[in-house]
């Protein structure tokens, strides 16, 4: 972690995080810092706890132990206004989770409108701007079920961006997509990364990890087994479990 | 038939009005009760969930005719003889209480199931944008849940409308009770009950038709191209 100091302030600080579902201990002892503008890619076999780790960061799952601070706010403290913290953390899901009863534009504008982020006209401008950014401005009035998976995921990213978050979490954003649609979503994510967005990405896309990631975390069995520069870890893994995993997926 | 219609037609129409009045007031409170208990069932709070389960189990476990006797005769007896209060319940009030409790319990289950049928990812997506639970429920989950609940709710409304006939036992002058009187006076049971059956049928067919229209309208908004 020390070698990443050049990246700037710590945006997310996690220390000794643990999470159990009943008797099942999914996360055992996770400590990691994410710095401003950093793209952290999390890989690992299924059941290793990487999605749970990500979901703990905006308290979609409540950690059982340890400490998580986001922008200096302790999100495990019951007095913390989690809704306020979440407005600064965008999240993109594997299954997009667009609201099927609203068209694309309404999907983008619903939360900012409800939370009164801005006046309606300016919000609509922002929404259209975000749609343009992800190349979906022509579909502003389509309904989610009229869009392909890749299109839906790009809308989902735009929806998160409309809250002007400074952290984005991606939970296997391309795993539910047909292969030919993976590229268009990764392209949008790459652009976000180049604009300096702080990102934590759970993915199986090793190419993306290598090309865009600043740091790679390999998780297994509820621990971070190995971490470092993605190119380094992917081509020259140190730990046996990392080697085993990479030999299966690469 | 013509004899009954010309001599007792207006009486039966008035009784039908009473049936509708009872059904509407029952359904109104049942919807409120159903919504409250349905939400109690889905919030992440064990105590709330248990309250819903107990309410539904108790009400579903007692036949409405027993509930009707209990509310109309039992409760005033208890208050008057054991608590020293002087209480009388009108048949309309007692009937409304019975219907709203009975229908409310079933509505709670319909609303619970409707909300739980919505993909949990919808709630997560709304919450991750920073919406509080109540807003996420109202803006994202409920509109989707209602779409799936409408046919079942209408079905429950029809059942409740017919269940008003049970309240003839506490002397409320609804359709069945009035028809009994007509038969007692005229002995023309075939004609009388035939007319009553047709009256129920007309109300319920109208309700079903209205339901179809609502359903179609709800579905129109979504897939419009």
């Amino acid at each position: 972690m020390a070698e990443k100091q050049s990246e700037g302030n710590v945006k997310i600080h996690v220390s000794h995080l643990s999470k159990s579902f009943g008797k099942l201990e999914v996360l055992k002892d996770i400590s990691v810092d994410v710095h401003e503008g950093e793209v952290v890619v999390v890989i690992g076999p299924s059941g290793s706890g990487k999605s749970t780790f990500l979901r703990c960061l905006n308290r979609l799952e409540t950690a059982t132990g340890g400490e998580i601070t986001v922008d200096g706010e302790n999100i495990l403290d019951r007095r913390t206004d989690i809704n306020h913290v979440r407005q600064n953390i965008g999240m993109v899901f594997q299954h997009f989770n667009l609201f099927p009863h609203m068209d694309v534009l309404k999907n983008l504008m619903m939360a900012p409108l409800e939370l009164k982020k801005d006046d309606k006209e300016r919000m609509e401008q922002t929404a259209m701007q975000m749609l343009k950014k992800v190349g979906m401005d022509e579909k502003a009035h389509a309904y989610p079920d009229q869009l392909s998976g890749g299109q839906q995921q790009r809308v989902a990213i735009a929806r998160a961006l409309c809250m002007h978050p400074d952290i984005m979490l991606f939970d296997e954003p391309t795993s539910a997509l047909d292969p030919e649609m993976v590229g268009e979503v990764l392209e949008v994510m790459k652009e976000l990364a180049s604009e300096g967005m702080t990102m934590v990405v759970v993915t199986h896309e090793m190419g993306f990890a290598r090309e865009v990631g600043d740091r790679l975390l390999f998780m297994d069995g509820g621990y971070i087994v190995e971490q470092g520069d993605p190119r380094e870890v992917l081509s020259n893994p140190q730990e046996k479990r990392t080697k085993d995993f990479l030999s299966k997926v690469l | 038939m013509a004899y009954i219609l010309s001599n007792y037609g207006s009486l039966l129409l008035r009784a039908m009005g009473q049936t509708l009045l009872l059904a509407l007031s029952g359904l109104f409170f049942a919807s409120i009760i159903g919504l409250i208990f349905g939400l109690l069932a889905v919030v992440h709070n064990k105590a709330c969930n248990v309250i819903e389960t107990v309410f539904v189990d108790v009400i579903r476990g007692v036949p409405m005719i027993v509930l009707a006797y209990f509310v109309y005769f039992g409760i005033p007896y208890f208050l008057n003889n054991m608590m020293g209060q002087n209480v009388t319940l009108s048949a309309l009030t007692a009937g409304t209480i019975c219907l709203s409790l009975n229908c409310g319990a079933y509505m709670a289950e319909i609303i619970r199931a409707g909300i739980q049928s919505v993909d949990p990812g919808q709630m997560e997506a709304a919450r991750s944008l920073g919406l509080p639970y109540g807003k996420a429920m109202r803006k994202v989950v409920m509109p989707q849940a209602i779409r799936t609940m409408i046919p079942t709710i209408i079905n429950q409304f029809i059942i409740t409308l017919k269940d008003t006939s049970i309240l003839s036992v506490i002397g409320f002058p609804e359709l069945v009770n009035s028809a009994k009187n007509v038969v007692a006076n005229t002995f023309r049971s075939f004609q009388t009950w035939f007319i009553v059956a047709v009256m129920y049928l007309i109300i319920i067919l109208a309700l079903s038709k209205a339901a179809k229209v609502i359903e179609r309208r709800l579905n129109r908004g979504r897939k419009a191209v």
Side-chain angles (χ1 to χ4, degrees), chain B residues 3-147:
Chain B
Y3 172 79
I4 296 286
L5 280 177
S6 61
N7 287 287
Y8 295 97
S10 63
L11 184 140
L12 288 176
L13 270 182
R14 234 177 305 131
M16 183 167 114
Q18 291 295 304
T19 290
L20 284 176
L21 171 71
L22 184 59
L24 287 178
S25 59
L27 288 175
F28 175 75
F29 291 111
S31 304
I32 296 172
I33 291 175
L35 188 61
I36 292 171
F37 280 92
L39 287 172
L40 283 182
V42 296
V43 295
H44 295 282
N45 181 316
K46 269 272 172 317
C48 292
N49 303 160
V50 168
I51 291 172
E52 192 264 354
T53 311
V54 170
F55 170 71
V56 170
D57 283 349
V58 167
I59 297 296
R60 266 202 315 210
V62 177
M64 199 164 80
I65 194 163
V66 176
L67 190 64
Y69 282 134
F70 183 75
V71 171
Y72 188 59
F73 296 114
I75 287 182
Y77 175 86
F78 173 76
L79 293 175
N80 295 343
N81 295 340
M82 293 160 159
M83 308 292 286
Q85 311 276 331
N86 195 10
V87 178
T88 48
L89 268 183
S90 75
L92 177 62
T93 312
T96 302
I97 292 173
C98 289
L99 280 182
S100 30
L101 285 178
N102 188 68
C103 178
Y106 290 100
M107 289 280 284
E109 284 295 278
I110 294 170
I111 289 169
R112 176 190 64 75
I115 291 173
Q116 285 174 345
S117 75
V118 177
D119 174 11
Q122 291 289 312
M123 178 55 98
E124 285 179 358
R127 294 306 305 277
S128 74
L129 288 164
L131 289 192
Y133 181 85
K135 273 198 169 131
M137 187 56 97
R138 224 175 41 245
K139 287 283 162 182
V140 174
V141 177
M142 271 311 218
Q144 298 180 60
I146 283 172
R147 198 186 300 270

Side-chain angles (χ1 to χ4, degrees), chain A residues 7-64:
Chain A
E7 292 281 349
N9 303 329
V10 175
K11 291 294 275 185
I12 307 174
H13 169 73
V14 179
S15 74
H16 303 297
L17 166 68
S18 63
K19 169 70 183 170
S20 309
F21 295 99
K23 278 200 177 129
L24 183 68
E25 211 179 4
V26 179
L27 299 178
K28 294 193 176 118
D29 184 6
I30 305 275
S31 294
V32 67
D33 281 342
V34 179
H35 297 82
E36 196 168 349
E38 198 181 9
V39 177
V40 174
V41 179
V42 185
I43 62 168
S46 61
S48 60
K50 49 196 193 311
S51 280
T52 307
F53 163 65
L54 195 73
R55 291 161 58 85
C56 281
L57 298 181
N58 67 350
R59 219 170 84 184
L60 278 186
E61 305 290 354
T62 309
T64 336

